[in-house]
Amino acid sequence: LEYEKQVSRAEVSLLEKVNTTKIQQTIVLQDGTKVKLKPGSKLSYSDFSAGRRVVYLNGEGYFDVAKDKSKPFLVYAGRIVVRVVGTRFNVVSTTGKTKSNVSVTSGKVMVYATGKLDESGNQKANQAIYLYPNQKVVFDATTNAFEKSLVAEPVQLTETGNTKDFYYTNTSVNSILDELETAYGVTIRRDTALFESCKVTAPLGDLPLFRKLDIICQTIGATYEVFGTEIVISGGVCNL
């Protein structure tokens, strides 16, 4: 049981919270970090007075980490470790299950397997997986492999403060796709020359990203697929 082992080896005294209820519980840590702990999950943590911000998770938790560049925040979650400075992300790692996953809402995180640590407990060079907003990674403990992809429902980024309404009238398809890339922090690959003169009217509003792409592709006769963290549009004709 990785969680029990990690907690027992901690060099500082820890407080453990176990969510025995049927609803999500919010825990506020000493540094202001907020953790939304799902039912049946456990979280062990200290007051961070020792100079390190390290917590241990078994189950599922959504973290809104307080920024402190002098003290990176580390989440030990079974066979994986998540390292951040200040961001929002979700971790699922449950004892007895071979797969763990991390998904990022904002900021950037670094994820690596506990087996990739050196003798000092630091991640080995070139072994970390970097995640950005709307990206996730699944770690399979049986194969010791990571699989990186987009989250199921990407959300519009809020860091810039410039949210879009996505209502378009006689607008270039390339311009629309450029705005979607920026708004959601994703890469949409396509033949830009093919759609150079293509314009559409599309009230996309607050539809999910993939529904927006469905409408655009249906309008121009194209299709799209998701490969890892990229969206690839193929086909299509522009007679609009």
Side-chain angles (χ1 to χ4, degrees), residues 9 17 26 47 52 66 72 105-106 160 165 206-207 213 235 237 239:
R9 294 170 182 168
K17 290 288 187 180
T26 299
D47 60 5
R52 300 183 69 204
T105 303
S106 68
T160 61
D165 57 13
D206 59 358
L207 293 172
L213 290 174
V237 292
N239 54 8

Side-chain angles (χ1 to χ4, degrees), residues 137-172:
V137 69
V138 175
F139 175 72
D140 190 334
T142 58
T143 59
N144 208 38
F146 287 100
E147 183 178 353
K148 189 174 173 182
S149 63
L150 290 178
V151 298
E153 294 187 9
V155 296
Q156 189 174 175
L157 307 185
T158 58
E159 285 90 342
T160 61
N162 298 321
T163 57
K164 300 289 185 179
D165 57 13
F166 304 111
Y167 284 87
Y168 302 102
T169 302
N170 198 31
T171 305
S172 163

Side-chain angles (χ1 to χ4, degrees), residues 101-119:
N101 70 73
V102 180
S103 55
V104 177
T105 303
S106 68
K108 179 177 73 172
V109 307
M110 196 165 55
V111 184
Y112 47 95
T114 53
K116 301 296 184 181
L117 302 181
D118 60 23
E119 294 179 356

Side-chain angles (χ1 to χ4, degrees), residues 71-72 128 229:
K71 295 180 182 179
T229 58

Side-chain angles (χ1 to χ4, degrees), residues 41 56 112 144 188:
S41 301
Y56 304 88
Y112 47 95
N144 208 38
I188 303 176

Side-chain angles (χ1 to χ4, degrees), residues 16-45:
E16 183 181 68
K17 290 288 187 180
V18 182
N19 186 352
T20 58
T21 72
K22 295 183 179 180
I23 61 173
Q24 180 175 268
Q25 290 184 335
T26 299
I27 301 169
V28 181
L29 306 184
Q30 188 69 24
D31 64 340
T33 292
K34 296 179 181 178
V35 185
K36 295 180 179 178
L37 198 63
K38 293 295 181 70
S41 301
K42 301 178 182 179
L43 184 75
S44 289
Y45 56 95

Side-chain angles (χ1 to χ4, degrees), residues 44-218:
S44 289
Y45 56 95
S46 72
D47 60 5
F48 303 146
S49 60
R52 300 183 69 204
R53 297 193 295 169
V54 180
V55 302
Y56 304 88
L57 173 72
N58 182 42
E60 181 174 358
Y62 180 83
F63 293 79
D64 187 348
V65 178
K67 291 186 178 181
D68 185 346
K69 292 183 178 180
S70 66
K71 295 180 182 179
F73 192 98
L74 289 93
V75 181
Y76 281 77
R79 299 295 182 88
I80 61 172
V81 184
V82 184
R83 179 186 174 99
V84 302
V85 172
T87 189
R88 294 190 290 274
F89 59 96
N90 194 75
V91 182
V92 181
S93 181
T94 305
T95 295
K97 294 186 177 180
T98 59
K99 291 187 177 182
S100 307
N101 70 73
V102 180
S103 55
V104 177
T105 303
S106 68
K108 179 177 73 172
V109 307
M110 196 165 55
V111 184
Y112 47 95
T114 53
K116 301 296 184 181
L117 302 181
D118 60 23
E119 294 179 356
S120 301
N122 298 313
Q123 74 275 11
K124 295 178 181 178
N126 303 320
Q127 297 292 339
I129 299 293
Y130 290 88
L131 293 181
Y132 297 88
N134 289 325
Q135 294 182 352
K136 69 177 290 186
V137 69
V138 175
F139 175 72
D140 190 334
T142 58
T143 59
N144 208 38
F146 287 100
E147 183 178 353
K148 189 174 173 182
S149 63
L150 290 178
V151 298
E153 294 187 9
V155 296
Q156 189 174 175
L157 307 185
T158 58
E159 285 90 342
T160 61
N162 298 321
T163 57
K164 300 289 185 179
D165 57 13
F166 304 111
Y167 284 87
Y168 302 102
T169 302
N170 198 31
T171 305
S172 163
V173 169
N174 280 331
S175 295
I176 295 174
L177 295 176
D178 286 342
E179 284 197 357
L180 292 178
E181 284 186 310
T182 301
Y184 290 91
V186 298
T187 298
I188 303 176
R189 299 199 180 280
R190 74 276 187 187
D191 183 350
T192 55
L194 183 64
F195 305 129
E196 187 173 354
S197 60
C198 194
K199 295 183 178 181
V200 300
T201 295
L204 302 178
D206 59 358
L207 293 172
L209 172 62
F210 292 127
R211 183 60 187 137
K212 288 181 171 74
L213 290 174
D214 285 338
I215 294 172
I216 293 172
C217 287
Q218 288 169 7

